[in-house]
Every structure is written in C-alpha cells, then in structure tokens.
Amino acid sequence: MIIGCIVKSGVIQNKVKVRVQRKGELIGEVQITSLQKGQESVSEVKEGTECGIKVQGPIKVEEGDILMPYKIEKKIRTL
C-alpha cells in the first residue's frame, strides 16, 4: 500500500515501524518499506514536508489515519 502523507512534526525515517491511530484509537502497526520525496527515494523526511510512504502490514491504512513512527534503540551500558 502506498500512502500520501505530510509530516506534521519531527522526522519520519525509512524502514521503521509505524503505529496507526484511527479516530483516537490505536488500531495496529505497519512497517515502512519505502519512503519517497517527489520521485526520489530518501532515508528520511522532515517536518512540514509531503512524502509518499509504502507500507506493509496486517491492517489497511485509511484516509485521515494518524501514523506515528517509532524506532527502538538499544543502549549498552559499560561498567
């Protein structure tokens, strides 16, 4: 599924998971598989920019849904 979006705040990055919110309720997650700005494939898109996102997952994203990307980072603690 390919979605047209505008980044309202922050930065969206390629290959991250996205929580999908519909009418104020979390309905599931999808994975970004491709991110484009115009005709160019990019690794990230910044706030205020339109982009195209190709996603894969068990739910269908609909117009008006809010996409909330996230990335889990591992922290290593040294002694």
Side-chain angles (χ1 to χ4, degrees):
M1 172 179 285
I2 299 173
I3 305 161
C5 300
I6 185 163
V7 180
K8 294 281 189 172
S9 65
V11 174
I12 188 166
Q13 296 177 325
N14 198 7
K15 309 295 182 194
V16 298
K17 291 187 178 183
V18 179
R19 292 182 179 113
V20 181
Q21 185 179 37
R22 183 174 298 148
K23 297 179 183 175
E25 183 177 327
L26 184 63
I27 63 165
E29 292 185 355
V30 293
Q31 173 83 35
I32 295 177
T33 59
S34 177
L35 183 61
Q36 289 192 307
K37 186 173 157 184
Q39 296 297 321
E40 182 183 352
S41 290
V42 294
S43 61
E44 69 177 30
V45 177
K46 296 182 180 180
E47 183 174 330
T49 306
E50 293 182 359
C51 62
I53 301 172
K54 186 173 183 180
V55 297
Q56 182 178 17
I59 61 170
K60 182 179 178 186
V61 178
E62 297 179 0
E63 185 176 342
D65 287 351
I66 297 173
L67 306 179
M68 300 173 291
Y70 69 96
K71 180 169 65 172
I72 298 172
E73 296 182 6
K74 294 182 180 180
K75 292 184 179 183
I76 299 173
R77 183 176 176 185
T78 58
L79 300 175

